[in-house]
Amino acid sequence: MCLFCEIINGNIPSTKVFEDEMIYAFKDINPVAPVHFLVVPKEHIDSVNGIHAENSKYVSHIFEKIPEIAKSQGIESYRIINNCGSDAGQTVMHLHFHVIGGTELGEKIL
Ligand code: 5GP
Ligand code: ZN
């Protein structure tokens, strides 16, 4: 079972910031900003490359919930990052969106 599936199942501890029947959000263990949490689907999807018509509802649900989760963490301005694949820096092969904020964010790539 992958690392984030273990976190979702509670086999590996995490600091939960939100959970419902479809998604789990928790603080990144190595935050790059005062607020840095990850939002993941409860169904294992490897990466953006694994999204298809039958599971894209998890992705839309994640984006429906991000504003509310961000607000609960005290931020209304934030950056959402997804790394897809190893060249892009994806280290955990379970789809996740980084939500980062709580300070003026630095250099943009684009
Ligand atoms: P990626 O590099 O795949 O886009 O992001 C993976 C993220 O998962 C990294 O920011 C890393 O800090 C975080 N991470 C890795 N292992 C753990 C863990 O065991 N617990 C938590 N909360 N975050 C983790
Ligand atoms: Zn997984």
Side-chain angles (χ1 to χ4, degrees):
M1 196 179 282
C2 93
L3 176 66
F4 287 173
C5 282
E6 298 277 18
I7 284 178
I8 292 162
N9 290 342
N11 296 331
I12 293 175
S14 63
T15 304
K16 176 168 77 174
V17 297
F18 179 83
E19 179 175 22
D20 68 12
E21 68 286 356
M22 294 180 79
I23 66 174
Y24 188 72
F26 57 103
K27 292 190 178 178
D28 196 291
I29 204 167
N30 187 22
V32 300
V35 177
H36 183 177
F37 61 87
L38 304 172
V39 194
V40 303
K42 284 191 171 178
E43 178 172 296
H44 181 92
I45 301 169
D46 280 345
S47 72
V48 166
N49 288 336
I51 298 170
H52 48 65
E54 281 71 48
N55 63 19
S56 61
K57 61 180 184 281
Y58 287 95
V59 180
S60 58
H61 192 68
I62 284 170
F63 277 82
E64 269 177 46
K65 290 293 178 184
I66 281 175
E68 151 186 340
I69 305 168
K71 200 166 186 182
S72 79
Q73 298 305 301
I75 56 171
E76 294 192 51
S77 176
Y78 44 84
R79 191 172 292 162
I80 299 170
I81 296 173
N82 171 262
N83 298 314
C84 178
S86 54
D87 280 0
Q90 184 177 2
T91 59
V92 180
M93 291 304 288
H94 182 126
L95 178 66
H96 55 279
F97 295 91
H98 298 256
V99 180
I100 294 164
T103 187
E104 196 166 312
L105 296 171
E107 192 71 13
K108 295 196 294 183
I109 292 175
L110 41 87

